[in-house]
């Protein structure tokens, strides 16, 4: 009996250990998975509202969970840190903007006519309009925090700001090489455009009286290209 039981016990232990791992998250699209996504979304929504009201530095995990109507300890079931939360929060807007800047950069390298070169710039304007409509809160948070010190939960936002600046400088250099833009020092030209675009976007999101918000991206693109045109 002893020898037989020794052969039986190991597979039984493996089965018992494996079962909870299979059951814990539940199937994708199942009740547990859906509940988890809903709670994570509620935490992000609460955090976004508080970040916009107070600034990232003034908001704690406790504040976020109180706003979401959940226990403080539940936060760490969904996000490792507040930095991870902010990274997840801005991911949709970050992906759209980086893809647009990359597409503009690629199009400028391969554009054979001036019309094609100007069309490359307008792609970024189109994405800005999409961002304003689909991610207004995240864009406002980015604009609010991107020039503050890269510390704590703000780090993903400041890092995104650096990525945008690098793309802007690269795109401006290509445009000057094509003689689309005036030969102003590249970083000066690029960062001036970024600053103007961000100020206009903030005006739209703060509901300042600047006319039809949907016309801002096209107007900005035209203004930049006409003003800096070679």
């Amino acid at each position: 009996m002893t020898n037989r039981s020794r052969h039986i016990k190991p597979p039984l232990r493996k089965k018992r250990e494996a079962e909870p791992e299979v059951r814990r998250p539940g199937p994708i699209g199942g009740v547990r998975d859906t509940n988890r996504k809903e709670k994570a979304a509620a935490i992000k929504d609460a955090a976004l509202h508080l970040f916009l009201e107070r600034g990232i530095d003034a908001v704690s995990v406790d504040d976020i969970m109180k706003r979401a109507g959940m226990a403080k300890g539940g936060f760490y079931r969904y996000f490792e840190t507040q930095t991870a939360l902010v990274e997840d929060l801005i991911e949709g807007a970050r992906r759209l903007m980086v893809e647009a800047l990359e597409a503009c950069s690629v199009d400028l390298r391969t554009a054979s006519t001036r019309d094609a070169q100007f069309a490359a710039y307008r792609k970024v304007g189109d994405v800005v309009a999409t961002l304003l409509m689909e991610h207004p809160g995240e864009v406002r948070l980015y604009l609010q925090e991107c020039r503050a010190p890269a510390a704590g939960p703000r780090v993903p936002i400041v890092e995104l700001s650096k990525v945008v600046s690098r793309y802007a400088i690269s795109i401006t250099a290509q445009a000057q090489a094509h003689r689309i833009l005036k030969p102003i020092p590249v970083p000066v030209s690029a960062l001036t455009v970024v600053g103007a675009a961000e100020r206009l976007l903030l005006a739209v999101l703060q509901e300042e009286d600047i006319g039809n918000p949907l016309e801002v991206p096209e107007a900005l693109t035209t203004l930049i290209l006409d003003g800096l045109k070679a």
Side-chain angles (χ1 to χ4, degrees):
M1 293 292 291
T2 304
N3 291 336
R4 292 177 66 184
S5 62
R6 285 176 183 169
H7 289 291
I8 292 172
K9 284 182 180 178
L12 286 177
R13 281 199 299 269
K14 289 181 181 178
K15 186 176 181 181
R16 287 170 186 162
E17 289 170 359
E19 283 176 354
E21 294 179 6
V22 173
R23 290 198 302 261
R24 190 182 301 128
I28 295 175
V31 174
R32 290 186 182 183
D33 181 55
T34 300
N35 288 342
R36 181 179 179 81
K37 288 177 179 177
E38 288 177 352
K39 288 182 179 179
I43 292 170
K44 288 196 292 183
D45 186 59
L48 180 59
H49 279 86
L50 290 171
F51 290 156
L52 292 175
E53 287 173 6
R54 307 179 191 176
I56 285 178
D57 284 341
V59 178
S60 67
V61 169
D62 194 31
D63 294 330
I64 294 169
M65 297 308 282
K66 282 181 180 177
R67 182 69 173 255
M70 302 179 200
K72 179 180 178 180
F75 177 90
Y76 299 100
R77 296 177 186 173
Y78 305 95
F79 304 100
E80 291 185 2
T81 61
Q82 272 188 267
T83 302
L85 166 63
V86 172
E87 191 170 23
D88 194 2
L89 192 59
I90 67 169
E91 175 56 25
R94 186 202 68 79
R95 186 176 61 253
L96 275 175
M97 180 52 69
V98 171
E99 286 176 356
L101 291 168
E102 180 62 24
C104 177
S105 180
V106 170
D107 286 356
L108 276 176
R109 286 198 297 268
T110 58
S112 58
T113 67
R114 287 182 65 82
D115 285 345
Q117 292 157 4
F118 282 104
Y121 265 88
R122 289 197 167 88
K123 278 189 176 182
V124 179
D126 291 341
V127 171
V128 168
T130 301
L131 285 169
L132 289 174
M133 295 180 67
E134 296 183 3
H135 302 277
E138 294 91 328
V139 172
R140 184 172 176 180
L141 180 64
Y142 168 81
L143 296 172
Q144 174 181 300
E145 301 284 345
C146 67
R147 288 186 173 83
R154 190 186 296 107
V155 168
I157 292 175
V158 178
E159 288 301 316
L160 175 57
S161 175
K162 292 177 181 178
V163 171
V164 170
S165 295
R166 285 198 296 269
Y167 267 109
I169 290 170
S170 173
I171 288 169
T172 301
Q174 291 179 60
Q176 287 191 9
H178 284 303
R179 298 183 180 180
I180 301 173
L181 303 181
K182 294 176 182 177
I184 299 169
V186 171
V188 174
S189 178
L191 297 181
T192 298
V193 169
V194 169
E198 290 180 349
R199 178 63 187 92
L200 277 172
L201 291 176
L202 190 59
V204 170
L205 294 169
Q206 290 180 337
E207 299 182 352
E208 296 179 27
D209 186 11
I210 58 171
N212 185 351
L214 297 179
E215 294 176 357
V216 168
E218 178 66 21
L220 176 62
T221 303
T222 301
L223 181 65
I224 291 169
L225 293 178
D226 286 348
L228 297 177
K229 187 182 297 182

